Amino acid sequence: MRKTLYVLLGVGTPVVLLAAWFVASAGSTNTFFPPLSYILERFQELWLFAHFSSDILVSLLNLVIGFALAAVIGVGLGFVLAMLPKVGGYVDPVIHFFRSIPPVALVPIFVSLIGFGIEMRIASITLAAVFPTLIATVDGLRGVDSTLKDVSAVYRLSTGEKIIRVFLPAAGPHIASGLQVSLQTAFVVMIASEMLGPSQGIGAMTLLAQQSFMIADMWSGIILLGVIGFIANMLFELGRRRLLAWYIGSRRLARAQ
Amino acid sequence: MTNEAVAGKAAPSRLDVRSLAKSYGAGAKAKVIIEDLTFTVETGEVVCIVGPSGVGKTTLLKCLAGLQPASSGTAAIDGRVIDGPPPEMALVFQDYNRSLMPWLTVRKNLMLPLRHLRLPAAETRERCNDALAAVGLEHAEHQYPWQLSGGMQQRVAIARALAYRPEILVMDEPFASVDAQTRFDLEDLCLKIRKDFNMTVLVVTHDIDEAVYLSDRVVVLGSKPARVLTTIDVDLPSPRDQITTRSLPEFAALRTDVLSLIKRPA
């Protein structure tokens, strides 16, 4: 009963908000807030599917490659730093310094270094998105229970088994939280990197629409970005629930007791 | 598990601890945890080490399990000095909820230490089945540890040790975190598996009654730093029973002996 109510709230709220926007903007003559019906019309003309491969796919590919690289580098480097506590201690301040730079601020450096191409975008996305995963991995590994380490040693697990079958799953919940922040960072930098230079992509299209005063097109770009962000997060959450079912289940049980 | 299954096995290992000492730091600031421990666990024996809490029992176990080097003296299994985790030893930890892998089901927890032994799949399966049957948890093999009660989790930890087929089973305060009734059950389980699986067993505990009930011999430790106060042979009749054994006058006499040793100011 209660659950049904929550599902209705979850699905219903966005529907009601969209409907309210639709109705309220129906006869709008305000240049900056065109009717939603017109925005949706432009959405269909622009994105379904005229600019699909030329812009949407390009953006998504940058996002996926940048995020995947950040995930691999973040987890891998995190393991190295956590396993070498001395090195980790020295490198910590540097990591936190770079982490503190707003990710978007890195884009201009890459533009000067590598230009406006796809390499620049992927490099910016990767560098910005690597830090949340890196820091979460190091934290997660440093927090692995000493008893689990003793168990692994007593039962003479190989180094590979310790890494893959003990440390990685034990730090899994931390790493997943880091990856989720990395995904959001990658998304922001993906758009920001497209707003510089003569470029393709959803961010570029949206900025171009704004600069050429095609406000409905701009709105349609914003809506598309919202939808993509939402879907990306949802896919991530589905994967997390599958991989960390043990963690979610044990936490739920602990709370119930 | 049947007795025939292990009948082909030679006598289980013998543990020899000679003048073992452990201290942290060096020079005047050195903190001596263990000073000159000497005792032996004969093949097939159950020996309990009792001592007041904080005596350094866990440090001793870490030295015996090869997790920490001794500062001086040696611990040896069948004459071979322990300088790393010995392959013939399995350890059951006090904190069952920290020693089991929460992301693995019960059966997979048992299988994890067997991977590197590269056994045929059938033998791995059989070892797990035997171990689960010995602790009475066949029905729980596909559950996760955190879905089980504390006593059942400690049974899983014991089953994991059994599947590893150790010659020496070492247990660190194994029943300290479960309720009294479960503790009795687990004590009896401990005596049963020791016989069925033909192992030498070393148990560290602070519970004097438990030490007397389980042991062939009790090693009584004094504290600050840890040293052997005395070794008491326990010749209570076997098989032991929670009700009859514990009501024997000999049982009472033994526990009084141990208690008075531990209570006496060092």
Side-chain angles (χ1 to χ4, degrees):
Chain A
M1 184 61 212
R2 214 188 175 120
K3 205 174 167 188
T4 329
L5 188 73
Y6 286 139
V7 171
L8 276 178
L9 264 176
V11 180
T13 313
V15 171
V16 169
L17 284 176
L18 270 178
W21 184 8
F22 196 92
V23 173
S25 68
S28 171
T29 49
N30 185 321
T31 324
F32 297 104
F33 297 100
L36 180 57
S37 57
Y38 180 56
I39 294 173
L40 292 177
E41 208 174 286
R42 291 300 298 153
F43 186 94
Q44 196 193 359
E45 285 164 17
L46 268 179
W47 306 119
L48 309 175
F49 293 88
H51 290 269
F52 188 79
S53 61
S54 64
D55 293 280
I56 299 185
L57 269 187
V58 171
S59 291
L60 289 182
L61 208 63
N62 289 348
L63 176 68
V64 170
I65 295 176
F67 173 65
L69 282 175
V72 171
I73 296 172
V75 174
L77 203 58
F79 260 92
V80 173
L81 293 183
M83 297 295 153
L84 306 169
K86 282 205 177 128
V87 179
Y90 288 117
V91 177
D92 254 9
V94 180
I95 292 174
H96 284 277
F97 175 76
F98 277 105
R99 195 259 308 245
S100 310
I101 301 173
V104 177
L106 298 170
V107 176
I109 309 171
F110 280 96
V111 171
S112 344
L113 286 176
I114 354 186
F116 290 106
I118 281 200
E119 302 85 348
M120 174 281 277
R121 289 183 221 159
I122 292 178
S124 325
I125 294 173
T126 305
L127 183 74
V130 91
F131 289 105
T133 299
L134 173 64
I135 289 163
T137 304
V138 172
D139 277 353
L141 289 171
R142 284 184 187 158
V144 173
D145 199 303
S146 62
T147 309
L148 286 184
K149 294 181 193 166
D150 285 347
V151 170
S152 310
V154 164
Y155 287 109
R156 300 161 59 94
L157 301 192
S158 67
T159 309
E161 283 176 323
K162 281 181 196 166
I163 290 176
I164 302 290
R165 297 182 188 279
V166 180
F167 288 99
L168 193 60
H174 260 91
I175 296 175
S177 306
L179 284 173
Q180 194 150 24
V181 178
S182 284
L183 180 61
Q184 283 152 8
T185 310
F187 192 57
V188 169
V189 176
M190 172 201 93
I191 298 161
S193 73
E194 290 170 353
M195 290 186 165
L196 283 176
S199 63
Q200 296 172 295
I202 308 164
M205 290 283 291
T206 306
L207 191 71
L208 186 69
Q210 183 262 329
Q211 285 164 346
S212 39
F213 226 64
M214 293 155 79
I215 301 301
D217 290 14
M218 178 195 83
W219 277 109
S220 82
I222 293 171
I223 291 177
L224 179 68
L225 289 172
V227 170
I228 290 174
F230 181 78
I231 292 175
N233 221 340
M234 202 173 66
L235 289 177
F236 183 90
E237 186 59 24
L238 279 177
R240 192 185 82 96
R241 280 192 198 179
R242 262 191 92 87
L243 282 172
L244 294 180
W246 63 271
Y247 178 71
I248 296 164
S250 67
R251 292 301 298 265
R252 192 182 301 136
L253 202 68
R255 271 200 304 275
Q257 276 161 359
Chain B
M1 186 70 192
T2 56
N3 289 326
E4 296 87 73
V6 286
K9 193 168 106 178
S13 298
R14 171 170 187 263
L15 177 69
D16 243 319
V17 180
R18 289 271 159 269
S19 310
L20 187 91
K22 177 75 186 175
S23 49
Y24 293 104
K29 278 195 220 153
K31 192 165 157 47
V32 182
I33 309 291
I34 297 170
E35 183 182 60
D36 195 22
L37 276 190
T38 298
F39 64 90
T40 304
V41 187
E42 295 294 342
T43 166
E45 257 186 342
V46 178
V47 169
C48 282
I49 297 179
V50 277
S53 53
V55 68
K57 289 174 292 199
T58 300
T59 306
L60 169 62
L61 279 198
K62 289 204 166 177
C63 292
L64 296 185
L67 296 172
Q68 284 182 3
S71 303
S72 66
T74 56
I77 293 177
D78 294 336
R80 270 175 299 105
V81 171
I82 296 169
D83 55 0
E88 52 276 88
M89 183 187 287
L91 192 56
V92 173
F93 294 80
Q94 176 181 354
D95 290 325
Y96 45 81
N97 56 359
R98 287 166 62 199
S99 83
L100 295 169
M101 316 289 163
W103 54 88
L104 297 177
T105 61
V106 167
R107 177 173 280 270
K108 289 192 171 151
N109 261 290
L110 266 57
M111 284 165 65
L112 181 60
L114 305 182
R115 296 181 60 88
H116 65 82
L117 301 179
R118 306 200 180 287
L119 306 167
E123 188 179 346
T124 299
R125 206 177 317 119
E126 192 192 305
R127 281 190 182 200
C128 292
N129 291 345
D130 287 349
L132 287 169
V135 301
L137 278 181
E138 302 98 318
H139 61 283
E141 59 171 329
H142 297 305
Q143 285 184 281
Y144 288 93
W146 40 269
Q147 294 174 310
L148 308 174
S149 69
M152 285 165 88
Q153 288 184 47
Q154 195 58 305
R155 281 168 193 265
V156 175
I158 293 171
R160 175 172 65 185
L162 293 179
Y164 196 62
R165 297 277 163 95
E167 301 205 9
I168 298 188
L169 178 62
V170 179
M171 302 171 119
D172 181 11
E173 302 267 5
F175 315 132
S177 316
V178 298
D179 61 75
Q181 180 57 49
T182 308
R183 172 184 287 229
F184 287 161
D185 292 345
L186 289 176
E187 286 168 6
D188 288 334
L189 174 68
C190 175
L191 291 176
K192 176 173 135 344
I193 55 172
R194 164 260 191 141
K195 212 165 110 248
D196 290 351
F197 283 78
N198 190 23
M199 296 176 298
T200 303
V201 179
L202 178 66
V203 181
V204 166
T205 178
H206 63 261
D207 183 327
I208 294 163
D209 287 44
E210 180 170 281
V212 173
Y213 181 73
L214 290 175
S215 298
D216 297 315
R217 226 136 40 79
V218 178
V219 175
V220 185
L221 294 190
S223 66
K224 315 261 172 173
R227 64 204 187 282
V228 178
L229 292 181
T230 190
T231 306
I232 297 178
D233 287 315
V234 179
D235 41 13
L236 295 170
S238 193
R240 300 198 180 157
D241 179 88
Q242 291 288 0
I243 296 166
T244 55
T245 304
R246 281 178 192 263
S247 48
L248 291 172
E250 297 93 312
F251 186 91
L254 283 164
R255 75 178 292 280
T256 309
D257 286 354
V258 178
L259 185 61
S260 57
L261 276 165
I262 288 181
K263 277 280 185 190
R264 197 172 55 199

